[in-house]
Amino acid sequence: MEISTAKDAGEHELILAFGRLQGAANRLEYILGRAIEQECGISHLMYEVLLILGRAGGPGLSMRAISQEQVLTTGGVTRLIDRMEAAGLVERTEAPGDRRGRLVRLTALGEQTVVHASRVHLENIERYFLEPLPAGDRKRFMENLRILSHAARDMLPRLR
């Protein structure tokens, strides 16, 4: 379909499809993030950082590594980690072999919180993300999302 008017643009099949994807993602993020806030007392962004730290395990991650994972500025991550540390969810420790370097890792409360929040989140993902789809299409849909996510990631410039 050629676009020669605003109406053509607004009704274009691909533009509508991408808008629906964005709208669904934004609405689902709001619904699922709000549930985490209400039921677990943490923001969705804090939850994402807890997940990143949980995956990393071991001694933890540097602020820079967290900021790259979350695509945030180091200043934004510092303020977020300050709030998470004040809440007892994470702690800063010395980096092995680097007296000036600091790492962030989960505390016992952070571990409990991410487990509880993940149970809540998983329940809501199933309810709001998967259940509306036909059962036979769910696996392929998730695979297609993985393909799109990796393709978009690979097109981004590498962060330094």
Side-chain angles (χ1 to χ4, degrees):
M1 170 184 197
E2 186 178 312
I3 297 174
S4 54
T5 67
K7 186 169 177 47
D8 292 344
E11 294 176 349
H12 193 283
E13 178 180 39
L14 289 177
I15 292 171
L16 283 170
F18 189 75
R20 289 181 187 122
L21 174 66
Q22 284 185 305
N26 291 339
R27 290 179 195 105
L28 287 169
E29 182 177 11
Y30 176 80
I31 291 166
L32 275 63
R34 188 166 161 88
I36 288 171
E37 286 179 23
Q38 290 177 336
E39 296 187 43
C40 305
I42 61 171
S43 70
H44 191 236
L45 185 55
M46 285 181 179
Y47 172 67
E48 291 292 329
V49 171
L50 292 174
L51 284 176
I52 290 165
L53 293 171
R55 274 193 296 271
L61 291 174
S62 68
M63 298 288 238
R64 181 182 173 132
I66 295 168
S67 70
Q68 287 179 338
E69 278 284 321
Q70 250 333 106
V71 192
L72 291 170
T73 65
T74 51
V77 168
T78 299
R79 288 187 296 278
L80 180 64
I81 296 300
D82 287 345
R83 290 195 309 273
M84 293 175 74
E85 189 173 35
L89 300 170
V90 300
E91 62 186 357
R92 290 177 169 101
T93 62
E94 287 186 20
D98 181 359
R99 290 183 299 151
R100 292 182 0 181
R102 307 283 285 162
L103 297 178
V104 178
R105 68 178 180 200
L106 293 176
T107 61
L109 178 60
E111 175 83 20
Q112 292 169 356
T113 301
V114 75
V115 168
H116 174 63
S118 292
R119 289 176 180 156
V120 167
H121 198 47
L122 184 58
E123 211 173 278
N124 287 321
I125 288 169
E126 289 172 353
R127 180 177 178 192
Y128 297 110
F129 182 70
L130 286 184
E131 283 181 14
L133 300 173
D137 295 343
R138 293 172 187 168
K139 195 171 229 165
R140 183 68 203 169
F141 177 73
M142 289 189 297
E143 175 61 15
N144 286 339
L145 285 176
R146 186 192 66 76
I147 291 167
L148 282 173
S149 178
H150 287 192
R153 178 201 63 204
D154 293 346
M155 287 182 232
L156 290 175
R158 292 283 173 223
L159 295 175
R160 294 178 192 176

